Amino acid sequence: MVKENLYLCMGSACHQLGVYEVLPQIQSLINQYDLNDKVELKGSFCLETCSSGIVMKFRDKHFIHISPQNLEDKFLKEILPMIK
């Protein structure tokens, strides 16, 4: 099976908003839900939605307003259903 890319914006705006706190959390969620054979987490330079907080992208969908506090909820409700 070919892995799909899950992008996490690592641009300067996301950096200032705490992306380096989000990174280990998303890695942990990928492991927890046994998704290592389905997705590959990749850092991305600006995903061009800087005013929308930390951003992730899967397929053609952007997930916005991500923070260390809401990551797990957004992952379970928005991202995980697209992957499975």
Side-chain angles (χ1 to χ4, degrees):
M1 176 188 286
V2 176
K3 290 185 183 184
E4 293 186 83
N5 294 324
L6 174 62
Y7 294 100
L8 175 62
C9 183
M10 304 296 274
S12 58
C14 289
H15 174 75
Q16 290 179 342
L17 293 170
V19 74
Y20 287 100
E21 293 174 54
V22 168
L23 178 59
Q25 290 177 326
I26 193 71
Q27 289 171 321
S28 177
L29 288 166
I30 289 170
N31 287 330
Q32 180 180 342
Y33 289 92
D34 197 28
L35 300 173
N36 287 305
D37 62 337
K38 294 183 180 180
V39 296
E40 184 162 347
L41 181 62
K42 291 192 172 190
S44 173
F45 288 108
C46 187
L47 289 172
E48 300 181 19
T49 52
C50 299
S51 63
S52 299
I54 297 172
V55 181
M56 294 185 74
K57 180 181 175 186
F58 185 70
R59 297 183 183 143
D60 291 331
K61 180 157 175 54
H62 286 82
F63 303 95
I64 60 174
H65 301 295
I66 293 172
S67 71
Q69 295 76 27
N70 71 9
L71 173 64
E72 186 169 3
D73 187 55
K74 283 188 154 293
F75 181 82
L76 294 176
K77 290 180 179 174
E78 298 178 35
I79 301 171
L80 186 60
M82 284 190 72
I83 295 171
K84 292 211 168 201

